Amino acid sequence: GRDLFGVKKDGTEIPIEIGLNPLEQNESHFILASIIDITERKKNEEAILLYTKRLEDKNKELEQFTFIAS
C-alpha cells in the first residue's frame, strides 16, 4: 500500500512496484525480488480519475438542467 519510487541512471524518479517471492532449493531459503516500472499504470490511473471527475461534473450539470426543465 505504499507508493515506492526508484531512481534511474539519469537521476529521474519513477514509480515502482516490488514483488517478493520466497524460494526453497536444497534446504536453502531465498527471496526472489522483482522491481517493475509502473509509470504507465500510474498515468492510466490518473487519466481514469480525471475522466471520472469530468463525468461526475457533467452528470451534475445534466441533473440541474433536468430539474430546471421540469
Side-chain angles (χ1 to χ4, degrees):
R2 293 185 179 145
D3 286 337
L4 302 172
F5 295 90
V7 179
K8 295 169 62 173
K9 287 182 182 181
D10 64 4
T12 57
E13 274 192 354
I14 58 169
I16 61 170
E17 177 180 275
I18 298 176
L20 301 172
N21 295 301
L23 299 173
E24 289 185 37
Q25 185 177 9
N26 300 329
E27 298 182 21
S28 296
H29 299 281
F30 301 93
I31 301 290
L32 174 65
S34 58
I35 300 172
I36 303 164
D37 178 352
I38 57 170
T39 302
E40 286 301 315
R41 182 192 314 166
K42 289 292 187 177
K43 285 181 184 176
N44 290 337
E45 287 172 359
E46 288 176 19
I48 289 170
L49 287 174
L50 179 62
Y51 186 71
T52 302
K53 175 73 171 119
R54 287 182 183 164
L55 282 176
E56 289 171 353
D57 291 345
K58 291 296 179 185
N59 280 339
K60 287 178 185 175
E61 290 176 14
L62 185 58
E63 286 174 3
Q64 289 175 349
F65 174 77
T66 305
F67 178 74
I68 293 169
S70 66

